[in-house]
């Protein structure tokens, strides 16, 4: 099975470190971006299997990033999972409305996080689900 290439758009360095650590431990390849514009550029070149997207980001927020990604034909089918500390009613709908496929709340649970992410990958690229 082929490990997934995951683009992580997250401005908080500690969150990036922890998230990458958890995913890499399960064999996935993680590429980080600290803001939305950089994330969009990397996404177009990398064509990742999945994009993890923080919502509170500098320059442009995660909703704007998700909408921009969905306007790129090559990225229209790429799973986008929002990872956000926003816990207000309606945020999930707002994420899905912007084009995200899923929504995970911070702080992430290290025990279950990778499994939750892998739900959004095709089975052929989820080495850790067994
Ligand atoms: Mn953030």
């Amino acid at each position: 099975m082929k490990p997934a290439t995951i683009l992580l758009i997250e401005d908080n360095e500690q969150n990036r470190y922890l998230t990458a650590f958890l995913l890499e431990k399960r064999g996935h390849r993680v590429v980080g971006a600290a803001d939305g514009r950089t994330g969009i550029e990397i996404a177009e070149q990398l064509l990742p299997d999945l994009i993890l997207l923080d919502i509170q980001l500098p320059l442009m927020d995660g909703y704007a990033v998700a909408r921009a990604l969905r306007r790129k034909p090559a990225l229209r089918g790429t799973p986008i999972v929002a990872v956000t500390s926003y816990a207000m009613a309606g945020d999930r709908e707002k994420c899905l409305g912007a084009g995200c496929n899923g929504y995970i709340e911070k702080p992430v649970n290290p025990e279950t996080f990778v499994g939750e992410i892998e739900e959004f990958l095709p089975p052929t690229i989820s080495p850790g689900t067994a």
Side-chain angles (χ1 to χ4, degrees):
M1 285 196 226
K2 156 169 120 66
T5 296
I6 296 171
L7 171 61
L8 170 61
I9 306 176
E10 161 69 76
D11 63 317
N12 182 290
E13 194 181 343
Q14 276 182 298
N15 287 344
R16 259 200 329 271
Y17 180 85
L18 172 68
T19 307
F21 172 79
L22 293 171
L23 291 164
E24 286 168 354
K25 202 168 69 166
R26 292 277 282 261
H28 299 299
R29 173 188 176 213
V30 178
V31 177
D35 67 77
R37 287 191 213 290
T38 307
I40 292 164
E41 275 175 34
I42 294 176
E44 289 189 270
Q45 290 159 20
L46 185 68
L47 300 177
D49 298 305
L50 184 140
I51 297 169
L52 284 178
L53 179 61
D54 181 26
I55 295 299
Q56 282 185 290
L57 288 168
L59 309 179
M60 58 196 293
D61 67 21
Y63 304 117
V65 174
R67 285 192 294 267
L69 291 169
R70 286 300 182 232
R71 283 196 293 269
K72 315 273 181 194
L75 297 166
R76 215 157 264 167
T78 307
I80 302 174
V81 180
V83 184
T84 174
S85 50
Y86 284 5
M88 312 264 293
D91 283 346
R92 184 186 194 90
E93 288 67 28
K94 214 172 155 189
C95 286
L96 300 180
C100 296
N101 301 82
Y103 174 98
I104 293 176
E105 275 178 29
K106 285 184 209 172
V108 303
N109 179 346
E111 306 272 313
T112 57
F113 175 71
V114 177
E116 290 176 60
I117 296 308
E118 287 174 345
E119 301 266 320
F120 295 93
L121 291 169
T124 49
I125 50 172
S126 323
T129 48

